[in-house]
Amino acid sequence: MKVLVIGGAGYIGSHVVKELMAKGHKVTVFDNLSSGLLQNLFKENDFIAGDILHPEDLDKAFERGFDAFIHLAAFKAAGESMIKPEKYSINNINGTINILNSAVNHGCLNMVFSSSAAVFGEPEYLPIDEAHPKNPENYYGFTKLKIEEFMKWYEQLKGLKFAALRYFNAAGYDPEGVLYGLERNPANLLPVIMETACGKRDKLKIFGNDYKTRDGTCIRDYVHVTDLAAAHVLALDYITKNKKSLTVNLGSEKGVTVTEMLEAARRITGKEIPADYVERRPGDPAELYATSKFARETLGWVPKYSDVDTLLESTWKAYKKYFNI
């Protein structure tokens, strides 16, 4: 298939592109490089420099004729979304509406969307499944939920078929070492741990150690980015073959505490990685992890790289290569 990957120069997007290429798809990347990197592009693919806030850029892209598109161009920092909701409204909501309008106007009616488990909010039960109530606690999660609703309306009114993939924390790097472009200004745990291990940060801050968990620190769900990339391609195959939309959770089905991740990182990197326990952040649930039972049954998706050691080893390898350590 000819596939347009919007946000394909980013961290997750570049891994999705690599997986699409491995499965024989012809890929074009559309990216404004605000967070994506030229380093993440493959010479085998066409690249369109464009912005989802400019409908004319999207029209020029979709005019090329694609069988499907994958949307990975939303802003994703939950904390920032609570301070700058206007930024997230404009990019995530307005930008997605621009994408949807351009796609349907050019007859591209197969869409895979990188959604988020942030649509659920505080868990009422664990692991979180697809039927869990949706009550986002941050504006980022709200925008992702709204996009899911937009897609359902476009399916009803325009014939769009979509797959929405919900997950918590993408982590790790390409196990083959081809992709190692680091995220700019990362806020997630693993990159922060690695920056501390590299000496780019003085200390890791662990927010709270008095939760009702096995070691007092928060439990979170981490899925290797290569496993997520495989899920995007499997979902694309599903909707195009079955002409049916799909919403699935992608989870490791078991959480890892912050302290467990830190101790494993110290073991794997051989670095001290200084850390301090500080006060809890408002709105941080003690535990968050999702089930992937439906994805396993429907897509045949089974994570291969989402164990703690592989997550950390592949990330450390990327950081060592990037910083020439």
Side-chain angles (χ1 to χ4, degrees), residues 113 115-122 128 130 132-138 140-148 166-168 247 249:
F113 175 55
S115 189
S116 172
V119 301
F120 296 113
E122 179 80 30
I128 296 172
E130 288 77 6
H132 188 285
K134 282 158 277 296
N135 186 27
E137 291 194 325
N138 55 64
Y140 159 69
F142 169 80
T143 65
K144 290 282 181 129
L145 184 58
K146 287 296 133 184
I147 292 168
E148 290 188 9
R166 299 168 175 159
Y167 48 92
F168 283 110
T247 300
N249 292 358

Side-chain angles (χ1 to χ4, degrees), residues 139-208:
Y139 195 73
Y140 159 69
F142 169 80
T143 65
K144 290 282 181 129
L145 184 58
K146 287 296 133 184
I147 292 168
E148 290 188 9
E149 293 174 3
F150 293 147
M151 291 189 299
K152 290 174 184 175
W153 274 108
Y154 273 69
E155 177 181 33
Q156 181 179 329
L157 302 174
K158 294 290 187 177
L160 178 77
K161 298 303 175 193
F162 67 86
L165 309 183
R166 299 168 175 159
Y167 48 92
F168 283 110
N169 298 295
Y173 273 83
D174 172 28
E176 295 177 354
V178 175
L179 292 167
Y180 59 95
L182 304 184
E183 291 185 272
R184 297 172 184 165
N185 303 313
N188 293 341
L189 178 64
L190 261 69
V192 172
I193 286 176
M194 292 301 160
E195 287 189 350
T196 309
C198 292
K200 304 299 177 185
R201 295 178 186 241
D202 293 332
K203 282 187 177 181
L204 169 70
K205 290 182 180 179
I206 299 175
F207 297 98

